[in-house]
Amino acid sequence: VGEDKRRAGKVIAVDLDGTSEVVADGPPGLGWSIEWLPDGRLLVTGEGLMRREADGTMSQHADLSALSGDWNEIVVDGRGNIYVNGRCEFDPTPRGIIALVTPEGEVRQVAEQLAFPNGMVVTPDNSTLIVAESFAGKLTAFDIDADGSLSNRRVWADGIVPDGISLDAEGAVWAPTFTENAVVRIREGGQVLDTIELDRSPFACMLGGPDGRTLFILAAEWRGMEKVGEALAEQDRPHRHEDVHA
């Protein structure tokens, strides 16, 4: 399992014993994420979309500057289509977008007017993309068309404040709700199936481990936007993982 270490500008791999290792450099600042290409190379968002090569160097994977200069979460589907969201502003006006980068390198916008888009997942059959709209308090779903475009926008579940999400083998979504210090497992329609309560705010989660049934949770003390700088100046919290049925 990998995670972005936003304060230090590093990408960290963490195993089941809690041992961590720096595996790549990342951009400075807040709001960037990682994902894997089908060939195993690492993608990193930030001011652009970067790719880690086999020798450890970082290079631009695609030029997204015509759409936005700040990119947040990312997901790659089984066909190699890359979806990345951006324009994440701390403003109630829904300005967020999703961009598509095809395996051939074509770049285009495929969704707009998202209320601070965060985590995204794609169903195993490559038919549906689900994105967390944090400021709207919901998970939003799109159909994925044959050319990678997104259509049939709809509410997948609401009543939570989701961030970085993960999809399990039964089609439920694990969603951190940093306003409530909990991670919930929720199904389409909004029914909460499980809840993991924490002593701090969770911002992302990912299923991993040998059988994909261990939930890794990235959590930190949340003091509000006005104290982000103060929080980033402090040492990072220890990592924690939960064994779950997924």
Side-chain angles (χ1 to χ4, degrees):
V1 170
E3 51 106 346
D4 64 59
K5 192 174 185 179
R6 296 174 178 176
R7 183 179 66 84
K10 302 293 183 181
V11 180
I12 309 296
V14 184
D15 66 19
L16 292 174
D17 296 323
T19 303
S20 63
E21 174 188 7
V22 176
V23 297
D25 291 325
L30 289 170
W32 53 273
S33 305
I34 60 174
E35 178 62 298
W36 305 95
L37 285 168
D39 63 11
R41 290 179 295 174
L42 183 71
L43 295 173
V44 182
T45 65
E47 294 183 355
L49 180 59
M50 305 298 290
R51 181 184 67 242
R52 183 179 185 272
E53 305 293 358
D55 63 1
T57 60
M58 302 294 289
S59 60
Q60 180 177 269
H61 184 77
D63 183 1
L64 306 177
S65 59
L67 296 176
S68 178
D70 187 16
W71 298 94
N72 186 21
E73 297 272 3
I74 183 171
V75 67
V76 179
D77 74 10
R79 295 169 293 197
N81 288 320
I82 302 165
Y83 296 92
V84 57
N85 60 48
R87 300 185 192 169
C88 300
E89 301 179 14
F90 292 93
D91 183 322
T93 305
R95 306 180 189 275
I97 65 171
I98 299 176
L100 165 68
V101 182
T102 69
E104 295 75 32
E106 178 190 359
V107 176
R108 67 179 188 273
Q109 181 177 311
V110 290
E112 62 182 357
Q113 295 184 341
L114 297 164
F116 206 107
N118 259 310
M120 297 185 291
V121 295
V122 171
T123 55
D125 62 1
N126 298 313
S127 68
T128 305
L129 180 145
I130 303 168
V131 57
E133 288 194 73
S134 296
F135 279 17
K138 63 184 178 181
L139 299 172
T140 297
F142 295 88
D143 291 343
I144 302 176
D145 300 332
D147 66 352
S149 299
L150 301 180
S151 61
N152 189 26
R153 180 174 179 167
R154 58 199 182 274
V155 175
W156 196 87
D158 59 10
I160 58 173
V161 182
D163 203 326
I165 60 176
S166 185
L167 184 70
D168 69 23
E170 296 178 1
V173 167
W174 287 93
T177 58
F178 62 90
T179 58
E180 298 181 11
N181 289 9
V183 178
V184 300
R185 180 173 180 251
I186 191 168
R187 67 168 39 146
E188 185 173 8
Q191 181 185 3
V192 175
L193 304 173
D194 294 286
T195 300
I196 298 172
E197 296 183 353
L198 304 171
D199 62 356
R200 64 200 68 169
S201 300
F203 292 91
C205 64
M206 177 60 66
L207 288 161
D211 57 3
R213 294 167 62 88
T214 299
L215 187 69
F216 291 80
I217 302 169
L218 181 64
E221 183 181 351
W222 176 244
R223 305 171 188 174
M225 279 305 302
E226 66 278 3
K227 295 186 177 180
V228 166
E230 175 185 309
L232 291 175
E234 296 186 356
Q235 293 296 319
D236 300 299
R237 297 285 191 175
H239 297 86
R240 169 184 173 184
H241 68 268
E242 296 276 353
D243 291 318
V244 300
H245 296 291

